[in-house]
C-alpha cells in the first residue's frame, strides 16, 4: 500500500506529489490521462506574481449590463451555464464586495508573492530553464483613461503588496516590442512575473522529476475512489491502488468528486479557449490586450491567444466566439498571421466563490485532503499551495493555513 495517493496530475497535483515526496512520503500520482493534459496544458503560461488580488466579479452596473448584452469580449455566458452555476455566482457576487475582496486579497497576496520562489527549485531540478522567460507581463491600453486608471492601480499594488511595475507610453513600448503594429495609449508592465513557453511541457517535466525521484505515476479514475476502513482505494487499468491518505487535485472536476462524499462545494467554472498563430513577429513578453480581453504569449507552437471567461455548462460543446471576435479586432495591434492547428483548445478555470483555493482536510472524511480551486492562477500557485498542504498534513496551523482550510471556507 502506498502511503499517499494524489488524484489529478495537473500543475497542482504534480506539485503536490513532489512536495509530499520531499517530505518523505511514498507517493502515487494518478490521473485518467497523462500529466499536464487538461487545464494546466492550455493556459497562458504566466506565473503571475502581479495577481496579488484575486479576480473579483465586477459589480458596477454598467459593466454588468455590458456582460449581460454580450458587448464585452472579456466574458460571455449562456443561460444554461449561468443557471447551473447560480448558487456559486451568488456567493461570488457577495464575496466580491470591496471589504470581503480586500480580506481575500490579503491572503491571496501571500500566495502569489512567493510563486516564483516556489517554482524556481522545480524549474532547476526538472531541467526546464529552456521553457522559462522572466520578462514580466504587460497590460496594453488603447484607451488613455483606462491606462491612467491601471497606472494608478499599479502604484497601489506596489505600495500594498510590493508588486513591481513600469509605466510606459506607447512609443516607448513599441521600441521594446517591435511586434506591435500600432502605438497604444500606454502600457503597464508588471516586471516580476515569469512565463512558460509550453505550460503542459513544464507540468510534464515536473512529473518526470517526481518519477526520477522514485514516485509512481499511474492511470486511474477518481470516480472509483472509495474508503476502505484503513484508507482509500481507486481502480485503474493497472489494478487497484490503495493508500492510507488521498489528496484530491482534480481542478475543475473536484467539486463533482466531493459531491460523492456528501460535500457540496459550488464552483464557478470559467471556460477559456486558445488558438495558435503563425505570427510574423512574436512579442518578447506576454501581454493582455485590455480592449479585447485576450492574452498573447509566444509559445513553442506559435503565438498563443487565450481568451477570458465563458460561463457555460461544463460539458457544453465548444463555441470559441471570443477567439473569432478577437481575431477580427486585434489586427490593428498585432499581425496574427494564419491560425495553425485545429480545432481551438478549451479548458476550465476552477474558481471557488470565495476566490481562494481550498487546501486542507475534507471535513468528516478521515485521510482525505484537497488542494484545488486555484481559479485564474493555478499554474502560478501549484507549488505554493502544495507546500502549504504538506505543512497542514504535518500538523502546522497558522492564520494562512486556516484561511485556506475547507472547514473555514465551507462555514
Ligand atoms: C484560458 C486560460 C488561461 C489561463 N492562464 C493562466 C495563466 O497565465 N497563469 C495561471 O497561473 N493560470 C492560468 N489559468 C488557470 C490555470 O490553468 C488553472 O488554474 C490550473 O491549470 C489548474 O490546475 P489544476 O492542476 O488544478 O487542474 P488541471 O490542470 O485541470 O488538472 C486536473 C487533473 O485532474 C484530472 N482528472 C479529472 N477528473 C478525473 C477523474 N475522474 N479521474 C482521474 N483524473 C481526473 C484531469 O485529467 C487533470 O489532469 C488559465 C486558465 C485558462 C482556462
Amino acid at each position: 500500500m502506498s502511503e499517499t495517493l494524489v488524484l489529478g496530475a495537473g500543475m497542482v497535483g504534480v506539485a503536490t506529489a513532489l512536495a509530499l515526496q520531499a517530505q518523505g512520503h511514498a507517493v502515487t500520482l494518478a490521473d485518467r490521462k497523462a500529466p499536464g493534459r487538461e487545464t494546466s496544458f492550455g493556459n497562458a503560461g504566466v506565473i503571475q506574481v502581479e495577481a496579488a488580488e484575486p479576480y473579483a466579479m465586477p459589480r458596477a452596473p454598467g459593466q454588468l449590463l455590458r456582460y449581460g448584452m454580450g458587448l464585452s469580449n472579456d466574458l460571455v455566458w449562456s443561460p444554461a451555464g449561468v443557471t447551473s452555476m447560480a448558487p456559486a455566482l451568488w456567493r461570488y457576487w457577495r464575496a466580491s464586495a470591496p471589504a470581503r475582496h480586500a480580506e481575500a486579497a490579503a491572503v491571496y497576496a501571500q500566495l502569489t508573492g512567493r510563486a516564483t520562489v516556489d517554482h524556481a527549485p522545480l524549474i532547476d531540478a526538472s531541467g526546464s530553464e529552456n521553457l522559462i522567460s522572466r520578462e514580466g507581463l504587460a497590460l496594453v491600453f488603447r484607451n488613455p483613461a483606462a491606462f491612467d486608471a491601471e497606472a494608478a492601480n499599479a502604484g497601489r499594488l506596489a505600495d500594498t503588496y510590493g508588486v513591481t511595475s513600469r509605466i510606459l507610453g506607447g512609443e516607448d513600448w513599441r521600441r521594446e516590442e517591435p511586434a506591435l503594429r500600432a502605438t497604444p495609449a500606454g502600457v503597464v508592465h508588471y516586471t516580476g512575473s515569469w512565463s512558460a513557453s509550453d505550460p503542459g511541457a513544464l507540468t510534464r517535466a515536473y512529473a518526470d522529476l517526481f518519477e526520477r525521484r522514485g514516485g509512481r505515476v499511474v492511470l486511474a479514475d477518481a470516480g472509483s475512489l472509495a474508503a476502505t476502513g484503513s484508507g482509500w482505494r481507486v481502480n485503474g487499468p493497472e489494478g487497484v491502488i490503495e493508500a492510507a491518505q488521498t489528496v484530491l487535485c482534480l481542478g475543475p472536476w473536484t467539486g463533482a468528486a466531493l459531491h460523492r462524499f456528501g460535500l457540496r462545494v459550488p464552483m464557478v467554472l470559467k471556460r477559456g479557449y486558445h488558438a495558435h498563430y503563425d505570427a510574423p513577429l512574436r512579442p518578447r513578453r506576454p501581454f493582455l490586450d485590455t480592449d479585447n480581453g485576450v492574452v498573447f504569449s509566444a509559445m513553442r507552437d506559435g503565438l498563443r491567444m487565450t481568451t477570458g471567461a465563458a460561463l457555460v455548462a461544463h460539458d457544453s460543446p465548444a463555441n470559441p466566439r471570443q477567439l473569432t471576435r478577437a481575431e477580427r479586432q486585434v489586427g490593428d495591434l498585432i499581425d496574427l498571421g494564419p491560425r495553425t492547428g485545429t480545432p481551438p483548445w478549451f479548458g476550465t478555470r476552477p474558481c471557488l466563490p470565495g476566490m481562494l483555493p481550498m487546501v486542507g482536510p475534507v471535513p468528516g472524511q478521515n485521510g482525505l485532503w484537497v488542494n484545488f480551486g486555484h481559479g485564474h492562477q493555478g499554474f502560478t500557485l501549484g507549488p505554493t499551495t502544495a507546500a502549504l498542504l504538506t505543512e497542514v498534513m504535518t500538523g502546522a496551523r497558522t492564520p494562512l493555513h486556516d484561511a485556506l482550510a475547507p472547514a473555514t471556507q465551507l462555514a
Side-chain angles (χ1 to χ4, degrees), residues 7-14 30-48 203 220-224 249-254 257 270-274 295 297 306-308 345-350 371-381:
L7 271 176
M11 178 52 86
V12 174
V14 171
D31 197 298
R32 61 186 171 192
K33 295 186 172 178
R37 298 305 299 168
E38 291 284 2
T39 332
S40 300
F41 169 83
N43 57 57
V46 188
I47 300 176
Q48 294 184 258
T203 310
D221 181 3
S224 64
C249 303
L250 299 167
W253 294 274
T254 316
K270 299 185 187 174
R271 182 180 286 185
Y273 293 83
H274 87 221
V295 172
S297 319
T306 45
T307 67
W345 172 91
F346 69 89
T348 303
R349 298 172 182 88
N371 187 6
F372 80 108
H374 299 67
H376 292 249
Q377 274 91 37
F379 186 67
T380 301
L381 295 177

Side-chain angles (χ1 to χ4, degrees), residues 12 38 107 174 270 312 315 341 344 353 359 368 399 404:
V12 174
E38 291 284 2
V107 175
R174 275 190 82 187
K270 299 185 187 174
V312 295
D315 55 358
V359 183
L368 188 62
L404 303 177

Side-chain angles (χ1 to χ4, degrees), residues 11 14 36 40 45 47 119 122-123 126-132 195-208 300 379:
M11 178 52 86
V14 171
S40 300
I47 300 176
H119 270 278
L122 301 181
I123 291 168
S126 64
S128 305
E129 194 55 45
N130 60 326
L131 295 175
I132 301 298
S195 49
S197 60
D198 188 337
L202 187 68
T203 310
R204 273 198 313 281
Y206 288 4
D208 291 345
R300 292 209 291 203
F379 186 67

Side-chain angles (χ1 to χ4, degrees), residues 63 66-67 69-76 291-293 322 325:
Q63 185 65 25
R66 278 172 56 76
Y67 288 155
M69 294 174 67
L71 298 177
S72 166
N73 206 38
D74 297 352
L75 180 138
V76 297
D291 286 71
N292 292 300
Q322 288 158 294
R325 183 145 74 170

